[in-house]
Amino acid sequence: MTHSPPSAPRTASVDVVLPCLDEAAALPWVLARIPAGWRAIVVDNGSTDGSAEVARGLGATVVHEPRRGFGAACHAGLLAADADIVCFCDCDASLDPALLTPFVRAVRDGESDLVLGRRRPQGRGAWPPHARLGNLALAHMLRRRTGLRLHDLGPLRAARRTELLGLGLTDRRSGYPLQMVVRAADAGWRVDEREVPYRPRTGRSKVTGTWRGTWHAVRDMRTVLHQPPLPPRTEETAR
């Protein structure tokens, strides 16, 4: 049986940013799950397995970001986007981009300014214990810093493009997702989270698959938490 992607919420254009580093095996599944009418922006961050060619062949817009770093890839995708609403999703098949449909609806209808996915592991190996503990520690520190009672700082998220650019995000490493949340909170955004199933990823993890990778991610995020609040910037200065 062939899969038919769910219909996207109407009256809002949507781009989905997919940071990518050697995800050729996962891309067909991920791109098949992009809701109809949305644009997939695959940001190739130095892949050597033909990921860019696979993505292009499957109809995605491909952006090349030579500077290594999760934040660098995410921000390159944000700058390449032109839709009303921009979503972010990992490109390793651990998260289903179709789950973003209610996220977009909440942003479009003005119920939320930023919606995050709270990951719920499905199956063995979906979320290593060390990565989960690091995430819990960061969520606790985030609560102390901003007052937001979040449980996860996962990569599945949606917000309006112009407002995201106005946050003036500067981190280009693993701290990028957290900086987005911190600056959104400082700006008075309504930040919500929704539970989403989290599958074992396809291929090798570049960050949370090892203690070393997790430690570097936590270190980057701790740095973000200690940054003083900054005034939001305009779309032009964010570029």
Side-chain angles (χ1 to χ4, degrees):
M1 180 182 297
T2 58
H3 168 73
S4 297
S7 297
R10 297 180 180 179
T11 71
S13 56
V14 180
D15 286 336
V16 183
V17 175
L18 299 154
C20 176
L21 177 58
D22 292 332
E23 307 290 5
L27 276 166
W29 186 90
V30 172
L31 293 176
R33 300 293 300 168
I34 299 291
W38 295 9
R39 180 172 66 142
I41 301 177
V42 174
V43 184
D44 185 65
N45 201 209
S47 299
T48 59
D49 67 346
S51 289
E53 291 74 17
V54 171
R56 193 175 291 110
L58 292 170
T61 296
V62 176
V63 173
H64 292 277
E65 174 50 65
R67 180 170 39 170
R68 285 292 183 93
F70 183 76
C74 286
H75 203 68
L78 176 59
L79 294 179
D82 58 14
D84 301 321
I85 296 174
V86 175
C87 302
F88 296 86
C89 181
D90 275 354
C91 206
D92 58 11
S94 62
L95 291 162
D96 185 344
L99 296 168
L100 287 162
T101 300
F103 290 35
V104 167
R105 186 174 294 112
V107 173
R108 180 203 64 186
D109 294 345
E111 299 171 4
S112 305
D113 299 309
L114 174 63
V115 184
L116 309 174
R118 181 183 180 183
R119 292 169 288 184
R120 292 298 196 183
Q122 307 289 310
R124 194 170 183 176
W127 201 356
H130 56 271
R132 200 178 312 186
L133 286 172
N135 185 76
L136 287 173
L138 287 166
H140 177 71
M141 288 187 283
L142 175 69
R143 186 176 304 175
R144 294 178 60 186
R145 164 67 174 77
T146 67
L148 290 176
R149 301 186 66 83
L150 299 177
H151 302 84
D152 191 8
L153 299 170
L156 199 69
R157 50 188 63 193
R160 291 194 176 275
R161 179 182 62 87
T162 301
E163 283 75 4
L164 281 172
L165 289 169
L167 293 177
L169 301 175
T170 57
D171 193 282
R172 296 296 181 264
R173 293 166 55 91
S174 301
Y176 187 88
L178 177 60
Q179 188 181 57
M180 183 186 296
V181 177
V182 169
R183 294 203 174 176
D186 288 346
W189 287 24
R190 294 161 297 175
V191 182
D192 299 310
E193 63 180 2
R194 297 170 182 245
E195 292 188 2
V196 294
Y198 190 48
R199 300 155 33 97
R201 62 161 288 130
T202 297
R204 182 180 62 85
S205 173
K206 287 79 176 177
V207 179
T208 58
T210 66
W211 281 97
R212 181 181 177 86
T214 299
W215 164 245
H216 282 301
V218 171
R219 183 189 61 186
D220 289 346
M221 292 185 182
R222 284 175 61 92
T223 300
V224 168
L225 286 170
H226 286 90
Q227 292 172 348
L230 295 177
R233 297 189 294 178
T234 64
E235 180 175 346
E236 287 74 20
T237 59
R239 294 173 182 271

